[in-house]
């Protein structure tokens, strides 16, 4: 499930900007409420983080790799719903990265540039030898 509508080609390896166009056809759109719930901001953030890591891997000649969100710190969502027919800008900056773990400062802005969601999100990306089938057989 891809929620991002597009992205700007990054100028550095440490940050990327994507956007989300919200419409009644958007996944998670709540027709009764008239928008996408604000809690979906975390998924917008996670997908933007994954985009940044994927771009880094592609530049290094590596294929995409599965990743997992571990948690968030100081996560703030200032709106109850993302409004349809609007574009939201999602920015992710990597503040820490090692072989498998990363921390990202992420924010979502509305068309006026007001920050409607922000936080620090941590993620885990297992090594290239990770075998998902072993994990699936555990459960």
């Amino acid at each position: 499930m891809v929620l991002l509508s597009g992205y700007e080609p990054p100028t550095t390896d440490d940050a990327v900007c994507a956007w989300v166009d919200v419409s009644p056809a958007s996944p998670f759109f709540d027709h009764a409420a008239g928008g996408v719930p604000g809690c979906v901001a975390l998924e917008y953030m996670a997908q933007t983080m994954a985009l940044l890591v994927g771009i880094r891997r592609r530049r290094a000649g590596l294929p995409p790799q599965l990743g997992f969100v571990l948690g968030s710190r100081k996560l703030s969502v200032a709106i109850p719903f993302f409004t349809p027919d609007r574009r939201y800008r999602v920015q992710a900056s990597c503040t820490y990265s090692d072989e498998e773990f990363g921390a990202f400062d992420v924010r979502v802005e509305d068309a006026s540039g007001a920050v409607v969601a922000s936080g620090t999100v941590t993620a885990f990306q297992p090594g290239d030898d990770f075998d998902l089938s072993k994990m699936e057989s555990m459960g």
Side-chain angles (χ1 to χ4, degrees):
M1 160 184 68
V2 177
L3 300 181
L4 302 179
S5 302
Y7 69 96
E8 298 170 11
T11 57
T12 73
D13 280 344
D14 295 326
V16 71
C17 179
W19 65 85
V20 176
D21 294 317
V22 176
S23 78
S26 300
F28 303 110
F29 191 88
D30 182 334
H31 291 276
V36 173
C39 63
V40 177
L42 182 58
E43 184 62 24
Y44 295 156
M45 293 173 176
Q47 289 192 14
T48 304
M49 292 162 39
L51 172 65
L52 177 58
V53 173
I55 290 169
R56 284 177 164 181
R57 289 184 63 84
R58 178 169 283 176
R59 287 180 178 169
L62 299 169
Q65 178 68 19
L66 184 66
F68 303 94
V69 169
L70 295 178
S72 62
R73 227 172 12 99
K74 298 182 182 176
L75 183 64
S76 172
V77 181
I79 56 173
F81 290 92
F82 289 95
T83 307
D85 302 320
R86 296 211 178 140
R87 175 169 282 181
Y88 294 88
R89 188 170 188 242
V90 188
Q91 297 178 29
S93 300
C94 183
T95 57
Y96 172 81
S97 178
D98 69 11
E99 296 289 321
E100 296 180 327
F101 294 94
F104 301 81
D105 284 338
V106 192
R107 68 182 187 202
V108 181
E109 300 173 348
D110 66 14
S112 73
V115 176
V116 298
S118 64
T120 298
V121 181
T122 54
F124 169 69
Q125 185 173 50
D128 291 324
D129 58 348
F130 178 74
D131 185 355
L132 180 61
S133 65
K134 290 180 183 176
M135 189 174 187
E136 291 171 343
S137 66
M138 295 171 65

